[in-house]
Amino acid sequence: MAYSDIIAVGCIIKGETPNFDFISQAITNGIMQLTILNKKPIGNAIITCLDKEQAEKRIFKGEKAANAVLDLLDNSHLK
């Protein structure tokens, strides 16, 4: 299946173990690798938060990531 873009959406809330840091870094690295390997834009809307309240304040990040990817696609003809 062909695709023109991807938007990764999710939320990681810090718990009592160091997994939060490992998972956050692995996701960021994975998204960067996929972007480079596939030469396709990937919007990163994986938010990292300390608690539910902070997550609720950042819920708009998915929309921002989607708009960023759409802007890239709209301007790709300029290259």
Side-chain angles (χ1 to χ4, degrees):
M1 175 184 286
Y3 58 91
S4 58
D5 56 21
I6 294 174
I7 302 166
V9 179
C11 177
I12 304 168
I13 298 178
K14 187 172 179 86
E16 296 179 14
T17 68
N19 292 344
F20 174 84
D21 297 321
F22 300 136
I23 293 169
S24 301
Q25 190 62 51
I27 289 170
T28 300
N29 291 341
I31 289 171
M32 290 299 289
Q33 287 179 331
L34 289 170
T35 298
I36 292 166
L37 289 173
N38 295 299
K39 297 180 182 171
K40 302 279 185 182
I42 300 177
N44 185 353
I46 308 290
I47 57 173
T48 54
C49 305
L50 300 177
D51 54 38
K52 184 178 175 182
E53 181 181 336
Q54 194 177 54
E56 289 172 346
K57 289 179 183 176
R58 296 174 158 186
I59 200 159
F60 65 91
K61 295 289 185 176
E63 180 181 1
K64 290 181 90 174
N67 288 331
V69 170
L70 292 173
D71 286 345
L72 279 173
L73 293 173
D74 286 344
N75 293 319
S76 64
H77 69 282
L78 299 175
K79 294 181 181 180

